[in-house]
Amino acid sequence: MPYQLLTRISRLINTSVSSDSRRIGYCLHRQFTMQALKFEKTGSLDGLSLVNVDKPILHPGEALVRVRAAGINGSDAAGILGMLPFVTTPRIPGRDFSGEVVEALDASGASSQEWIGAEVWGTGSERGFTSDGSFSQYVSVPIAALSRKPASLDHSRAGSMTLQWLCAWITVDTLANVKEGDNVIIIGARGGIGSAAAQLCNERGARIFGTYTSLAKVTPPPYITPIELGPKTAIRDAIAKIGLQNKIDVLLDCAGYDQPFNDAVFTMTPNGTGRVVVMAVHAKDGMFPINLRPFYTKALTLKGMLSSILGPEEVKGVLDDLAKKIDSGLLEGPKEVNEIDMGDMGAVKGALQEILTRASHVRSVIIP
């Protein structure tokens, strides 16, 4: 019997039978429920709770994925706290996932076996914002958007990296259009998006300069020339020392602090081709003072990175390409991941707070 019909029958039984016979409906209904993390309104992490909800009802052309790991991102915490005005409630948060396909319906609504058992990963679009996300045991995904995860990564590592790599891809490819020979500064090169962007820039043949709060316990990869922050002019001083003042083509700000941002802008090329991309702001009120004089005197272009700018099938294209390059060794996935049981609400909320304050460089994933 088709999945949709069974689900609807179970719900009908639960709502229409007498109390004496409700147990039958309850037993059937239990097969079509799942555990998930959900918040009814924004404003506090304490509003997030573990609940039993109905599994997603599949529509023609959709697949049901059993989530094995769901990455925790800053946007998840920001959405719960009400910092993202476009998030609707009630909502199951979560944008990243890795798992396996357990059910699928073709375009006619008939059961499809093509993807059953496939190990897939995904992220992006409106999932977790205006539609329910991956902090749950199951998530529905358009079949056309399914992407096989890298075979060389387990679910936890695969599920921890998809959004940050999608953001890096959009930043490097779509917005900055980094090319061979470009000089690129990445503010926040140690973070998830910054380190992924550095790998992508290196693959394209760019010269990369990355900022670090401290180099005391950090060993940057060989393709990054590190710049340790400290003095207000640390970035421009380092670039001038190398002889590249006014020769930086691309600035990627993956951190969101105004002081290093404004320092780096002074190093940009004045020939009208300089590209600046921002994707974060650290201040809670979103205010970010910018020195506009170098922007107009150098004719710079400023763009903002929105992770949901790509549709589901476009995201699939990015993830398919990333999977091939990770499995071939051209790109490198995370070496370690912090796994958190979805039922441990203290640990879940701690991880959400941790990523919001960037207290750790090890990514966390929820294990449903």
Side-chain angles (χ1 to χ4, degrees):
M1 187 177 294
Y3 169 85
Q4 291 173 295
L5 182 57
L6 280 173
T7 302
R8 290 178 180 134
I9 290 174
S10 69
R11 291 175 184 169
L12 181 62
I13 291 173
N14 250 348
T15 56
S16 63
V17 299
S18 67
S19 59
D20 292 336
S21 58
R22 188 179 295 273
R23 294 178 184 175
I24 299 174
Y26 176 70
C27 291
L28 181 58
H29 180 71
R30 285 182 62 190
Q31 300 174 43
F32 297 97
T33 61
M34 66 176 183
Q35 287 192 318
L37 298 176
K38 191 174 184 178
F39 59 98
E40 298 293 331
K41 61 180 181 179
T42 62
S44 171
L45 295 180
D46 290 333
L48 188 68
S49 59
L50 182 66
V51 297
N52 287 313
V53 298
D54 291 329
K55 284 184 185 177
I57 296 179
L58 294 186
H59 298 94
E62 290 185 339
L64 187 69
V65 176
R66 174 63 168 96
V67 178
R68 296 302 179 186
I72 296 178
N73 295 285
S75 57
D76 300 321
I80 297 169
L81 291 173
M83 298 168 66
L84 304 178
F86 47 81
V87 172
T88 59
T89 57
R91 182 65 52 228
I92 296 172
R95 308 195 65 205
D96 289 352
F97 69 87
S98 182
E100 60 263 358
V101 178
V102 295
E103 183 95 15
L105 300 180
D106 63 21
S108 70
S111 178
S112 173
Q113 298 298 310
E114 180 182 358
W115 281 89
I116 301 301
E119 295 187 323
V120 297
W121 62 342
T123 190
S125 300
E126 300 302 324
R127 183 182 298 110
F129 291 157
T130 57
S131 63
D132 282 336
S134 58
F135 288 3
S136 57
Q137 291 179 311
Y138 296 88
V139 65
S140 62
V141 181
I143 291 177
L146 289 173
S147 174
R148 297 181 189 274
K149 78 171 183 64
S152 57
L153 298 182
D154 60 22
H155 284 301
S156 291
R157 290 190 293 160
S160 75
M161 64 177 289
T162 43
L163 183 60
Q164 57 189 337
W165 275 85
L166 176 65
C167 291
W169 183 284
I170 293 172
T171 300
V172 172
D173 180 84
T174 308
L175 301 178
N177 188 24
V178 174
K179 303 182 294 293
E180 182 177 3
D182 278 345
N183 294 314
V184 180
I185 290 178
I186 300 177
I187 300 176
R190 192 183 180 191
I193 299 176
S195 59
Q199 288 196 54
L200 294 175
C201 288
N202 179 59
E203 183 200 13
R204 290 168 177 243
R207 185 176 182 182
I208 308 156
F209 303 88
T211 72
Y212 295 82
T213 303
S214 172
L215 291 171
K217 298 180 180 180
V218 179
T219 303
Y223 49 83
I224 295 181
T225 300
I227 299 174
E228 186 172 24
L229 298 177
K232 290 185 177 181
T233 58
I235 298 175
R236 74 184 82 174
D237 291 345
I239 296 300
K241 186 176 181 180
I242 299 171
L244 292 178
Q245 180 63 30
N246 293 324
K247 294 182 180 179
I248 298 299
D249 303 289
V250 177
L251 169 60
L252 308 179
D253 184 5
C254 305
Y257 295 91
D258 59 284
Q259 191 275 313
F261 176 86
N262 286 307
D263 183 19
V265 167
F266 278 98
T267 69
M268 301 290 292
T269 176
N271 64 9
T273 61
R275 292 94 74 195
V276 181
V277 180
V278 297
M279 64 199 70
V281 57
H282 186 69
K284 290 184 178 180
D285 61 5
M287 300 301 291
F288 192 128
I290 298 177
N291 185 343
L292 288 178
R293 186 165 289 119
F295 263 90
Y296 66 76
T297 59
K298 293 174 180 280
L300 302 177
T301 298
L302 175 64
K303 294 183 178 181
M305 193 285 299
L306 178 66
S307 61
S308 59
I309 194 174
L310 300 183
E313 293 185 36
E314 292 175 299
V315 172
K316 168 190 167 57
V318 173
L319 295 181
D320 285 350
D321 190 71
L322 287 176
K324 292 177 182 177
K325 291 178 178 178
I326 289 172
D327 282 339
S328 69
L330 288 175
L331 299 174
E332 184 179 15
K335 291 184 173 63
E336 57 179 322
V337 175
N338 180 33
E339 296 182 343
I340 297 174
D341 186 281
M342 189 168 71
D344 188 344
M345 292 307 301
V348 169
K349 293 175 184 178
L352 286 164
Q353 183 63 43
E354 181 181 73
I355 197 165
L356 196 64
T357 56
R358 301 168 187 171
S360 174
H361 292 285
V362 178
R363 305 290 290 188
S364 293
V365 294
I366 290 174
I367 306 299

